Amino acid sequence: MIDLLPTLFAPDDDPWLWLEEVEGEAARAWAQARSDETIAKLADARFEADRAALLEILDRPDRIAHVTRQGGLLYNFWRDADHPRGLWRRTTMESYLGAEPEWELLLDIDALAVKEGEDWVWSGATTRPTHDRTLVRLSRGGSDAGVLREFDLGTRAFVADGFVLPEAKGGASWLDDDTLLLASTFGDGNATKSGYARTVRLWPRGSDPAEAAILHEVAAESMSCWAWFDRENSDIVFGEQIDFYNSVISIGDRSGPKTEIDRPTDAGTSWSRGFIALRPRRPWTVGDTTYPADSILVTSREAYLAGARDFRVLFTPEPRKALRWQFWSGGDLVISVLDDLRPVFLRAIACEDWRVEEIAGLPSIGAVDLWPLDSDPLESTGELAALSQTPIASPELSLLAPGVAAPTPLHRSPAAFDPGAAVVTRHEAVAPDGQRIPYVQIGPPGETGDAPVYMTGYGGFRISTLPYYSATRGKLWLEKGGVVVLTNLRGGGEFGASWHEAGRREGKARSHDDFAAVAVDLVTRGVTRPQRIAAEGDSNGGLLIANMLTRHPEKFGALFCRIPLVDMRRYHKLLAGASWVAEYGNPDLSEDWAFLREISAYHNVEAGRAYPPILIATTRRDDRVHPGHARKFAAKLQALGYPALFYEPAAGGHGYGKDNAEVARFAALGMSFLRRAIGWEVEAGTIG
């Protein structure tokens, strides 16, 4: 029957290809009709109450205003109930430290959208070193593609006859006041198969960007290319991103790349104030020494470029002590580490033999993020901003100054929900191959055997799932008496390169089995039963959830599959999909399709199975993960007779809405579905 297609035996016979036409009339009509049906089923009084409560939290005027410093001033982008699209603004440090900072308004996105009749969404700004002008990036509906427009910070207006680039992926950086380095898909032949820039062009002021001279060009099969001006060394740095994990970096000038930096293509590489740091992704043998993956090596930049390989090792990983990332700040190298999932930060101080010290005063539980206060490395004083939180303690922003023993608290976000008696505990499940899989459980103490459980996970691209504070999970699940579970799956970065490698390519099914193993452990420990477990995931996590439906349906009571990859036969042909071949594999190769077919939920859906209820959601403006994945999955399930629900708002990009109202609606809809599907209704504090 045609409604069974495509199958593993006929993977390319796909009757639903027409749903890949994002703006096709028939496809849009189908998506709108299915979305209307979902809203009609789920938008009851509880949903409306949840949506309103979440929107109020997202719009609170006393939440943290996150800032970066440029030219001595603090810049912030802010959304609230009166300004849903947002305000770009700035203030002084003195004012920011006060109870009610005085902000200078630079750009009102709501007013601009009305004036120009466009669905503008703020996507950031790139300020030139003199801090008087910037390139503002705006997208339509929240997509990755956007327009660039030059903005004068003094007059607070777009520059007449200034730099303007039509909608495209990629962007531009300042070479000097009147010249940009353009790495954009704008123009014919300037996009790779992944949909990113394949040329770097020299764009002088007043000229046509389509006619800009090409300085650097990569093959269409490469992922992308980029360039930036290194003011410290007066060089232009050119990059070719071969795939998600490998790149070639060269140094050159206005005529193009001249000297390729000799390094493993998978080694993270950065430099500052005369030093260069390298982080190999795989073991790297230099002479008689082999440096392990994720070690951090530093040496003189000048000596390294001249061929010397006399490194100082600043960090060496251990089995459960993993490197997250590193960055330069004020000439020092700041290193983020997960020590058995405990956040640790080191400051490597530049001196004759370097000195590595743990940064004191930061919490050792929960999630902690650290970043340079100054966005321009050459202006960096070494001051750091820190954001610390736990799943039941709201985020606190602090300032860390070099040489100061303890961080200075700046602002704490107001509590978004009442955690009640909830406690945070850590556990480990055992995967089918014997690996121990950590997870964090948040909720009331004790095991009832019937707790309503919300589970989420990711397991890909070396992204770690950390115990962040979540207004959505807290308000719409924990506060109602439920249990939240955050899983640390292989494929993530929780335990370094080996943990990621174990869940990459042919190991991706293993990361999915890890998630299922946690669900089993929750039942074994007496926390709940399978019918009371609701699971959610997005993007790569959406692939995870789709595979829970097809591979482990008996372990779950409901699934919320957001902006997912589902069709692993065609994913590399859809939008940015080709850029993920290094993570998943190439389905055009028979040896890769042999393992990809096992996790292509679109092909593995069968008739007559006992699948749990599922809501599949995407956004029409997502130009990263193609909405066709979600559309086709829902259509096939429905054709097979399953009551799969589908939701697709018109805007949002690779997120859940262009403003807080859309985000709240998307999130409340998902939580309402999950609670209803597992039979959990809350009335007067009672679980029914």
Side-chain angles (χ1 to χ4, degrees):
M1 295 173 56
I2 190 170
D3 58 3
L4 292 175
L5 295 170
T7 66
L8 293 176
F9 305 101
D12 301 311
D13 191 353
D14 189 348
W16 306 107
L17 283 178
W18 58 277
L19 287 172
E20 293 180 3
E21 299 175 17
V22 177
E23 298 295 341
E25 183 176 350
R28 287 185 59 171
W30 179 93
Q32 187 63 58
R34 301 294 83 74
S35 297
D36 291 344
E37 292 168 0
T38 297
I39 293 295
K41 290 180 179 179
L42 299 179
D44 59 7
R46 286 188 183 88
F47 159 75
E48 289 296 342
D50 288 345
R51 182 199 58 75
L54 188 54
L55 179 58
E56 183 180 1
I57 293 168
L58 296 176
D59 280 341
R60 286 191 64 157
D62 54 349
R63 69 189 191 277
I64 294 174
H66 294 278
V67 295
T68 57
R69 187 165 59 195
Q70 300 179 43
L73 294 174
L74 301 179
Y75 288 75
N76 164 260
F77 184 73
W78 180 262
R79 286 175 174 153
D80 58 28
D82 296 328
H83 310 95
R85 294 179 186 269
L87 305 173
W88 190 37
R89 58 190 191 171
R90 65 184 178 184
T91 190
T92 64
M93 176 63 83
E94 181 182 9
S95 180
Y96 183 72
L97 295 177
E100 295 186 10
E102 295 182 4
W103 295 96
E104 176 191 1
L105 176 62
L106 297 173
L107 185 60
D108 183 331
I109 307 302
D110 295 271
L112 183 69
V114 171
K115 178 183 177 181
E116 299 184 349
E118 291 279 7
D119 189 20
W120 289 135
V121 175
W122 173 262
S123 297
T126 304
T127 304
R128 68 188 187 188
T130 49
H131 302 295
D132 56 345
R133 290 189 179 180
T134 189
L135 296 174
V136 166
R137 183 177 181 83
L138 302 165
S139 77
R140 292 181 173 90
S143 63
D144 285 353
V147 303
L148 290 179
R149 296 164 67 176
E150 188 176 6
F151 187 82
D152 190 295
L153 292 168
T155 62
R156 292 175 292 179
F158 289 107
V159 178
D161 301 322
F163 286 110
V164 176
L165 187 70
E167 187 175 53
K169 284 190 176 183
S173 61
W174 295 93
L175 179 55
D176 58 42
D177 286 355
D178 297 306
T179 315
L180 299 180
L181 293 168
L182 181 62
S184 168
T185 60
F186 173 70
D188 294 338
N190 289 311
T192 64
K193 290 183 178 179
S194 297
Y196 297 112
R198 67 178 296 258
T199 61
V200 173
R201 291 168 280 175
L202 192 69
W203 183 15
R205 181 179 296 281
S207 65
D208 183 350
E211 302 298 325
I214 295 176
L215 301 184
H216 183 41
E217 184 172 2
V218 302
E221 289 71 23
S222 289
M223 179 176 166
S224 66
C225 68
W226 43 266
W228 57 279
F229 181 55
D230 178 3
R231 289 193 293 130
E232 180 181 344
N233 298 289
S234 299
D235 294 321
I236 299 178
V237 181
F238 296 90
E240 175 186 3
Q241 198 67 39
I242 302 170
D243 60 30
F244 214 87
Y245 305 111
N246 291 272
S247 65
V248 174
I249 301 175
S250 301
I251 295 172
D253 54 27
R254 290 172 181 257
S255 63
K258 300 299 180 187
T259 305
E260 180 181 328
I261 297 179
D262 180 25
R263 51 182 271 285
T265 58
D266 64 359
T269 309
S270 62
W271 54 85
S272 178
R273 305 188 187 185
F275 294 98
I276 187 169
L278 296 101
R279 168 191 177 174
R281 186 169 166 268
R282 295 183 178 87
W284 182 24
T285 300
V286 180
D288 296 330
T289 304
T290 297
Y291 300 100
D294 282 351
S295 54
I296 294 185
L297 318 174
V298 68
T299 189
S300 158
R301 177 180 181 273
E302 181 180 3
Y304 184 84
L305 295 179
R309 296 295 181 265
D310 184 18
F311 294 116
R312 168 74 159 89
V313 180
L314 299 183
F315 175 81
T316 301
E318 299 173 13
R320 291 240 157 178
K321 189 173 184 179
L323 178 66
R324 288 182 68 197
W325 36 254
Q326 72 284 337
F327 61 80
W328 293 96
S329 178
D332 298 336
L333 193 65
V334 178
I335 303 168
S336 173
V337 175
L338 286 177
D339 188 350
D340 198 20
L341 299 179
R342 180 176 67 92
V344 174
F345 294 90
L346 309 173
R347 188 191 294 269
I349 300 169
C351 56
E352 185 175 346
D353 192 40
W354 290 82
R355 187 171 76 253
V356 180
E357 302 174 346
E358 183 171 340
I359 297 176
L362 294 173
S364 59
I365 60 173
V368 182
D369 290 304
L370 209 61
W371 64 92
L373 182 62
D374 295 290
S375 61
D376 187 334
L378 288 185
E379 295 180 354
S380 175
T381 63
E383 288 179 289
L384 304 173
L387 192 70
S388 55
Q389 58 200 290
T390 77
I392 57 176
S394 61
E396 182 178 47
L397 182 67
S398 301
L399 183 66
L400 292 87
V404 177
T408 302
L410 298 179
H411 298 287
R412 178 178 283 281
S413 178
F417 60 91
D418 180 2
V423 295
V424 181
T425 55
R426 178 175 158 183
H427 308 271
E428 289 188 345
V430 179
D433 64 358
Q435 180 62 257
R436 303 192 71 84
I437 309 302
Y439 64 95
V440 172
Q441 178 177 319
I442 312 104
E447 287 102 22
T448 67
D450 198 47
V453 172
Y454 167 95
M455 276 182 67
T456 190
Y458 192 77
F461 295 93
R462 199 171 172 168
I463 295 173
S464 301
T465 298
L466 299 179
Y468 287 107
Y469 189 82
S470 166
T472 299
R473 295 193 293 256
K475 189 68 178 178
L476 305 188
W477 205 274
L478 284 176
E479 189 176 89
K480 297 176 184 293
V483 171
V484 168
V485 171
L486 311 175
T487 59
N488 300 117
L489 315 177
R490 282 174 286 186
E494 289 88 344
F495 299 116
S498 61
W499 193 254
H500 172 227
E501 285 298 308
R504 189 173 73 91
R505 288 176 49 84
E506 50 268 83
K508 191 60 64 181
R510 185 182 295 129
S511 74
H512 299 167
D513 292 340
D514 292 349
F515 192 74
V518 174
V520 170
D521 196 61
L522 290 167
V523 176
T524 302
R525 289 179 45 236
V527 176
T528 191
R529 53 190 171 90
Q531 295 77 14
R532 298 282 273 180
I533 300 178
E536 177 180 8
D538 66 280
S539 196
N540 174 78
L543 173 67
L544 165 73
I545 296 301
N547 275 270
M548 293 306 101
L549 184 83
T550 56
R551 299 184 61 228
H552 300 282
E554 73 286 354
K555 296 179 176 67
F556 299 92
L559 300 169
F560 183 21
C561 184
R562 295 186 288 138
I563 53 175
L565 283 84
V566 185
D567 181 355
M568 300 309 288
R569 182 68 171 180
R570 286 178 51 78
Y571 86 90
H572 63 314
K573 298 177 180 179
L574 301 174
L575 296 175
S579 65
W580 309 322
V581 167
E583 177 73 15
Y584 298 120
N586 185 352
D588 289 340
L589 303 177
S590 59
E591 60 269 30
D592 286 10
W593 177 241
F595 57 80
L596 280 168
R597 70 197 300 271
E598 301 302 320
I599 63 167
S600 186
Y602 185 51
H603 293 84
N604 281 283
V605 168
E606 298 174 354
R609 296 285 303 278
Y611 291 143
I614 187 170
L615 168 60
I616 304 162
T618 184
T619 68
R620 190 173 304 156
R621 290 295 295 177
D622 189 348
D623 54 355
R624 194 180 312 172
V625 175
H626 198 291
H629 285 280
R631 290 175 174 180
K632 295 196 304 178
F633 194 37
K636 184 177 179 182
L637 281 167
Q638 291 172 358
L640 290 172
Y642 297 107
L645 298 181
F646 176 84
Y647 179 60
E648 180 187 286
H654 194 59
Y656 320 124
K658 65 175 181 289
D659 56 36
N660 289 341
E662 291 186 1
V663 170
R665 181 180 176 85
F666 198 112
L669 193 73
M671 286 299 196
S672 176
F673 163 76
L674 291 175
R675 292 201 313 268
R676 183 180 302 187
I678 64 170
W680 181 35
E681 297 294 345
V682 180
E683 292 288 354
T686 301
I687 299 176

